[in-house]
Amino acid sequence: MNLFDVYPLYPITPVSALDCIITDDKGIEYLDLYSGHGVISIGHTQPYYVAKVKDQLDKLSFYSNAIQNPLQIELADKLGKLSGYNDYSLFLCSSGAEANENALKMASFHTNKARVISFHNAFHGRTSAAVATTDNPKIIAPINAQQVVTFLPLNDLNLVEAELKKGDVACVIIEPIQGVGGLDQGTTPFFQGLEKICKQYEVVLILDEVQSGFGRSGKFFAHQFHDIKPDIICMAKGMGNGFPIGGILIAPHFEASFGLLGTTFGGSHLACAASIAVLDVINEQQLMANTSKVEAYFMEAIKVIPEIIKVKGRGLMLGVEFDFDVNALRKKMIIEKHIFTGGSSNKNLLRILPPLTITTAAIDTFIVALQESLAELKNSN
């Protein structure tokens, strides 16, 4: 049997990793500045995390949500305290797409409406409603296109309000910092205005923090830079440090009922143990403070590279933009300089999403490698 060929692959086979370093089957070490799409939040094979997951695996890895699971309560308690959302409720699932799917469903149940407002260059996942709210026609199948979605530009509050006035909108879904779309973000006046008009027209405001949440921005959630409180917050990637887990935080004015939402694997004992470990490490090692410190260092240090026309994003969710396609540059960085970075739908943007444990010394290594790679590419043309 062959694998279904949907992923272009680099010729690298990782076999082990520690913190921000990945080692392949030839013994070559790579600096990980991408974290597998921003998934590794507290570092690869973090000792406390590994011990916590192993200990839970020895006890009980899984049972369905038909029984009591005290780990879910512990996770909700710690998550509420660290995020500042103690008064919200937690629903656990297994991925970011599933989190967004459940958020959209909750909004539709709550309002009894179907239309969704999303934004240009948005990415919300690859499942039914989530992919319909993603601004990429290439990955939307006809069965997904049945969803009623209106895409609008960021930072134009008048256009959003014109749509909400029509009275058929269930929700607005937005990333505080766009990930796949290329690190664009709304302004504080836009987000605050969005919160206000959503309340005015009784439309559910969903913040997709799947990539930007769990400390990656320097705050627990990136929307907290704008001093707003959405109705539903979606989480996943950094939540389990590599173990599949997702979830939504739901405001108090939503009513729960048996069977309203459901999942087989969401909130399993192993998943909860993994996420509790992540929260403990973020808190005890002050990784949000480290994120802000390294961001400030990065923003200053990167100025030595004149080819960069813009640095986008926040915290350790960053992008460096050039006036050329970065595909060759990214390939050179990984194959020759042994540094993982990411791409986006903006072909001129190099995405930087390291573990939150990254050091300023690692940033220096990246900048030197980037300078060398740019010079080598220039000389080869």
Side-chain angles (χ1 to χ4, degrees):
M1 181 184 289
N2 295 320
L3 295 174
F4 197 52
D5 191 12
V6 292
Y7 300 116
L9 302 176
Y10 285 108
I12 296 165
T13 306
V15 294
S16 64
L18 180 63
D19 196 18
C20 300
I21 301 296
I22 293 173
T23 305
D24 73 3
D25 56 351
K26 299 178 180 66
I28 299 171
E29 292 186 346
Y30 296 80
L31 175 60
D32 186 7
L33 296 186
Y34 193 55
S35 304
H37 305 309
V39 166
I40 301 300
S41 49
I42 59 171
H44 293 278
T45 62
Q46 203 280 340
Y48 175 80
Y49 170 89
V50 171
K52 192 94 171 171
V53 173
K54 280 183 176 178
D55 179 62
Q56 186 58 49
L57 187 59
D58 285 338
K59 294 174 181 175
L60 175 68
S61 62
F62 172 83
Y63 204 76
S64 77
N65 284 303
I67 47 81
Q68 296 182 54
N69 181 350
L71 290 171
Q72 293 184 354
I73 297 170
E74 181 184 352
L75 174 56
D77 181 60
K78 289 184 173 180
L79 177 55
K81 287 175 181 173
L82 198 55
S83 69
Y85 277 97
N86 246 332
D87 58 333
Y88 278 46
S89 298
L90 172 64
F91 174 77
L92 292 165
C93 55
S94 299
S95 71
E98 194 182 356
N100 286 332
E101 203 76 37
N102 280 289
L104 293 164
K105 183 189 289 187
M106 278 294 299
S108 188
F109 273 135
H110 185 72
T111 60
N112 201 32
K113 296 172 183 176
R115 188 158 69 105
V116 179
I117 301 298
S118 186
F119 294 88
H120 294 324
N121 295 320
F123 185 92
H124 297 294
R126 292 177 178 269
T127 54
S128 180
V131 78
T133 62
T134 291
D135 189 20
N136 182 356
K138 292 180 181 178
I139 64 172
I140 300 174
I143 195 170
N144 309 125
Q146 296 177 84
Q147 309 285 346
V148 187
V149 182
T150 302
F151 290 96
L152 298 175
L154 282 174
N155 295 319
D156 193 329
L157 204 59
N158 291 330
L159 285 181
V160 179
E161 186 166 16
E163 296 300 324
L164 300 195
K165 282 180 178 177
K166 295 176 183 177
D168 63 339
V169 175
C171 61
V172 174
I173 185 168
I174 185 170
E175 301 157 275
I177 307 169
Q178 292 185 332
V180 174
L183 284 300
D184 289 320
Q185 53 189 313
T187 64
T188 293
F190 177 72
F191 275 108
Q192 291 182 350
L194 195 58
E195 179 188 39
K196 181 179 178 181
I197 62 173
C198 282
K199 285 179 180 175
Q200 180 182 343
Y201 295 99
E202 298 182 335
V203 170
V204 175
L205 178 58
I206 301 170
L207 262 291
D208 176 353
E209 294 267 8
V210 166
Q211 190 170 113
S212 54
F214 268 67
R216 181 155 291 282
S217 69
K219 290 187 181 289
F220 196 87
F221 291 123
H223 71 261
Q224 291 171 319
F225 281 99
H226 307 298
D227 195 26
I228 63 168
K229 290 195 83 171
D231 298 298
I232 303 176
I233 303 162
C234 306
M235 315 165 292
K237 293 189 185 297
M239 191 173 180
N241 202 50
F243 196 98
I245 182 171
I248 56 175
L249 298 184
I250 306 166
H253 57 270
F254 290 84
E255 286 189 23
S257 61
F258 292 153
L260 185 71
L261 302 177
T263 175
T264 296
F265 296 106
S268 73
H269 295 74
L270 266 181
C272 287
S275 195
I276 289 166
V278 168
L279 290 171
D280 287 345
V281 172
I282 288 174
N283 187 39
E284 291 165 15
Q285 296 190 9
Q286 299 184 323
L287 293 187
M288 286 185 278
N290 185 64
T291 295
S292 298
K293 181 188 84 171
V294 176
E295 176 198 10
Y297 185 86
F298 182 96
M299 291 295 194
E300 192 62 34
I302 203 73
K303 291 177 181 177
V304 301
I305 301 179
E307 293 92 341
I308 294 172
I309 60 173
K310 198 173 192 180
V311 181
K312 303 166 83 172
R314 282 185 194 270
L316 292 174
M317 187 174 175
L318 299 169
V320 287
E321 190 171 20
F322 298 87
D323 62 358
F324 57 86
D325 189 316
V326 299
N327 184 56
L329 174 61
R330 187 179 170 212
K331 187 174 182 180
K332 177 178 276 287
M333 290 287 285
I334 191 169
I335 301 298
E336 298 178 21
K337 308 301 180 183
H338 307 140
I339 297 177
F340 287 9
T341 60
S344 75
S345 61
N346 178 351
K347 301 304 180 186
N348 293 355
L349 190 88
L350 203 63
R351 264 202 298 169
I352 313 297
L353 298 167
L356 309 187
T357 54
I358 198 76
T359 64
T360 55
I363 299 304
D364 289 339
T365 298
F366 164 71
I367 289 172
V368 169
L370 185 57
Q371 286 176 311
E372 292 174 353
S373 296
L374 287 166
E376 289 162 12
L377 285 169
K378 185 177 181 180
N379 291 335
S380 66
N381 291 334

